[in-house]
Every structure is written in C-alpha cells, then in structure tokens.
Amino acid sequence: MTIALNGPLLLVGAGKMGGALLEGWLARGLDPRSVFIQDPALPEGIGELVAAHGIVAGAAPRLPQPPAVIVLAVKPALAGEVLSVIAPSVGAGTVVLSIAAGRTLESLSEPLPETCAVVRAMPNTPASVGEGITVCVANAHVSEPQRQACETLLAAVGEVVWVDEEALMDAVTAVSGSGPAYVFHLVESLEQAGIEAGLPAELAARLARGTVAGAGALLKHSEQDATTLRTNVTSPNGTTAAALEVLMKEDALKRLLARAVAQAAKRSRELSS
C-alpha cells in the first residue's frame, strides 16, 4: 500500500517510535518531499536516513502550507509544551496524531484550536520491526478521510485497531502497550528454568528466545486461536500436559496476568489524570 497524503506531514520527534514510523512511511512510498521533521537533535541512524532522502528537518522547519497530519512522537511530559509551540501551524484540515503515552484527547486538545481534529494512538515496541499493534481513538472533529490517513500512517509499522471509548485506552496500554515486557520476562523465566533443568546457559537462552519468537510467528500466521494451538501441541499425559498442569492449576497464570494487567491499567489512569 503506497502512502499518499493531501498535504505535508510534520513529524514532531524522531526518536525510536517516530524513527520507526518514518522508516515505515518511506518504505511504503511516501514522498520524502512531503515530510518535515521537527526535532533539534536527530538520532544518528535517523539523521542519516533523513539526509539520504533530502527531508527537511530542524528545530522549527518551515512548511509550504499547513500540514495534513502532525504526528506527535515526543515524551508525554513534553507533549503540552510542544503542542503549544506547533498550534499556530495547525490548519483547518490538519489532524494531530499523538503517540504520546497517557495523554488524553482532552489534554492533547487543550493547547490546540478549538475544533482541531485529534487522534490518540497507543502503539507498542514491536512497531520498531514492523510487527506492532496500535490502538486509536479519535475526538469528534476527526473526519473519515483524516481517520483513514492516520490508519494508513500507523499501518506502516503493524496492525491498527480503533475503539470508540477512550476509557478503554488504559486497559489497551496494560495489555498491548506494556505487553511486550511481559513476553520478554517470560523468555527470561523460561531461560532460567532451562538452566535449572541442566541446560548450558547459552543453549537455554537460545531455546527460550527461539521458542517464544516461533510460537508468536505461528500464532500470527495461523487461522486457529491460541486455545486450539495450545491443545494441538498438548498430547494427553505427555510432557506438555504435565507442565500445563502446573501453569493452569487453579488458573494460576491467568490470575497472575490479570493482576498484572489490572495494576498496569491502574497506573495508566493515574498517569493520565
């Protein structure tokens, strides 16, 4: 899918997530002449990419016309200050797409023109390798073409899902935003368990990493759900069944994850209030 917008795109912040988005856009054919980057100090790799494509970047790049989309990819603590600075560049047809974690539609809209279209998005770190999933919610001023433009831009780094209720974003953050860390901890734990079972550390690490990565790839490409895939690999009275008897006893793992997600959602609400 080639990306085409009806005006310039202003990327504010070209750090890890902003840089991943930029790479995805360029890979999908977005005209680099339509991209402008507001960032006073580009990371080394992104600086080289920007230079190679002749993209205009700097602390305050001058755009030929109001941007079609402003992508806000700065740290949440800086979002309000940055939005106040860029507010004068917002045009009647501009949509502000924020990936600043925890910033509500209300807080994002406050420094902007009263009827500004704003989309709040929650991506996750697998976006850096094009395997992310992003959940979005829009305010009442976002038109269908603006919604489609935001979805097209975010789809460059993975799957995109929309919700109608902003209140769901705290749970979204707890499940998909923080979720990769849970999976990485699973790998750490599986690796340690392998060592305790007698495997050399290097082999345990390789097996744990490869198993989780492979299972994730199988889950992504299979039409079967996770329950069916688990059942398929579990022979009656076999080794997997013996392990699952421990993990699933009294819903131990389910209950632990439920507590973890609830705690993360609670913290998300605290940070966004």
Side-chain angles (χ1 to χ4, degrees):
M1 181 192 305
T2 300
I3 299 176
L5 301 174
N6 62 356
L9 183 153
L10 176 61
L11 173 61
V12 184
K16 290 183 179 179
M17 194 60 70
L21 284 166
L22 178 62
E23 290 179 352
W25 300 335
L26 295 173
R28 291 203 176 193
L30 180 63
D31 186 349
R33 294 173 296 180
S34 69
V35 180
F36 297 80
I37 300 176
Q38 184 167 320
D39 193 319
L42 295 175
E44 183 177 346
I46 296 302
E48 294 171 355
L49 181 68
V50 166
H53 287 83
I55 296 172
V56 175
R62 298 184 63 181
L63 279 66
Q65 64 187 80
V69 184
I70 297 175
V71 178
L72 184 68
V74 299
K75 294 180 179 179
L78 299 176
E81 178 184 347
V82 171
L83 285 170
S84 296
V85 172
I86 65 175
S89 66
V90 172
T94 300
V95 57
V96 175
L97 170 59
S98 170
I99 60 171
R103 297 307 298 259
T104 65
L105 288 172
E106 181 179 4
S107 69
L108 293 166
S109 300
E110 187 175 346
L112 299 170
E114 187 175 352
T115 59
C116 183
V118 180
V119 172
R120 174 186 175 187
M122 180 70 237
N124 60 7
T125 54
S128 64
V129 292
E131 294 290 346
I133 184 165
T134 303
V135 180
C136 306
V137 62
N139 72 2
H141 304 298
V142 177
S143 67
E144 184 58 29
Q146 288 173 326
R147 179 185 173 113
Q148 288 300 320
C150 290
E151 179 164 339
T152 299
L153 290 171
L154 293 169
V157 293
E159 187 178 352
V160 182
V161 180
W162 291 84
V163 296
D164 295 324
E165 300 177 39
E166 188 176 12
L168 295 176
M169 294 299 283
D170 295 313
V172 166
T173 300
V175 172
S176 63
S178 300
Y182 313 156
V183 176
F184 300 149
H185 184 53
L186 170 62
V187 173
E188 291 177 314
S189 300
L190 189 56
E191 176 185 342
Q192 184 59 39
I195 293 171
E196 293 177 6
L199 292 175
E202 184 177 352
L203 178 58
R206 185 174 179 181
L207 292 179
R209 183 175 185 138
T211 298
V212 173
L218 175 59
L219 184 62
K220 177 179 179 178
H221 295 290
S222 176
E223 295 182 358
Q224 298 176 319
D225 60 23
T227 299
T228 302
L229 290 172
R230 171 181 57 78
T231 301
N232 289 346
V233 77
T234 308
S235 302
N237 299 317
T239 58
T240 307
L244 288 175
E245 185 177 351
V246 176
L247 292 173
M248 299 177 71
K249 185 177 182 180
E250 298 179 353
D251 287 334
L253 183 57
K254 283 185 179 179
R255 291 167 60 189
L256 183 62
L257 280 174
R259 285 171 50 202
V261 167
Q263 190 72 4
K266 176 176 179 290
R267 183 56 177 154
S268 178
R269 288 190 292 273
E270 292 171 351
L271 292 172
S272 61
S273 62

